[in-house]
Amino acid sequence: MISVNFVGFILCMLAVWRLLHLLSQEDGPFGLVFKFRKLFGQGFFGNLLDCFYCLSIWMAIPFAFILCDEWPEGIITWLALSGGASILFKLTDKST
């Protein structure tokens, strides 16, 4: 039985979405995030920072650890946080 706190889940999902959006879509204050992305170039990490969906898989992991005590529910929560952030991205993406 999954016993994740609903409010905690929503807050973590919003935090994941915000961090992902900052890292993959924005230049950040004073262009710092842009410079950070540029530092990694076109390698694995550079491509990861360019892909919101790819980055969501990795960014959701620490939040799932925060929310869950047991690993089976942590895996489900991890994927749900990534999926929720991806849905929010689709709903807020202005490029389509």
Side-chain angles (χ1 to χ4, degrees):
M1 181 73 174
I2 296 177
S3 61
V4 174
N5 176 343
F6 180 73
V7 173
F9 178 83
I10 296 298
L11 289 174
C12 283
M13 183 178 65
L14 290 171
V16 169
W17 175 84
R18 182 65 194 111
L19 288 170
L20 287 169
H21 200 273
L22 175 65
L23 290 174
S24 68
Q25 305 295 312
E26 300 173 22
D27 291 342
F30 310 110
L32 291 176
V33 177
F34 173 75
K35 291 174 187 172
F36 178 72
R37 279 197 315 268
K38 190 175 174 183
L39 177 71
F40 287 104
Q42 294 299 315
F44 172 78
F45 292 107
N47 291 334
L48 182 65
L49 288 170
D50 287 339
C51 177
F52 186 95
Y53 302 111
C54 303
L55 192 57
S56 76
I57 292 290
W58 299 104
M59 186 66 71
I61 292 172
F63 290 92
F65 274 112
I66 291 168
L67 286 174
C68 301
D69 296 326
E70 302 291 327
W71 71 267
E73 105 182 348
I75 291 173
I76 293 169
T77 302
W78 164 45
L79 297 173
L81 287 170
S82 175
S86 296
I87 290 170
L88 286 174
F89 178 69
K90 276 291 209 190
L91 292 173
T92 60
D93 186 24
K94 296 178 180 141
S95 68
T96 57

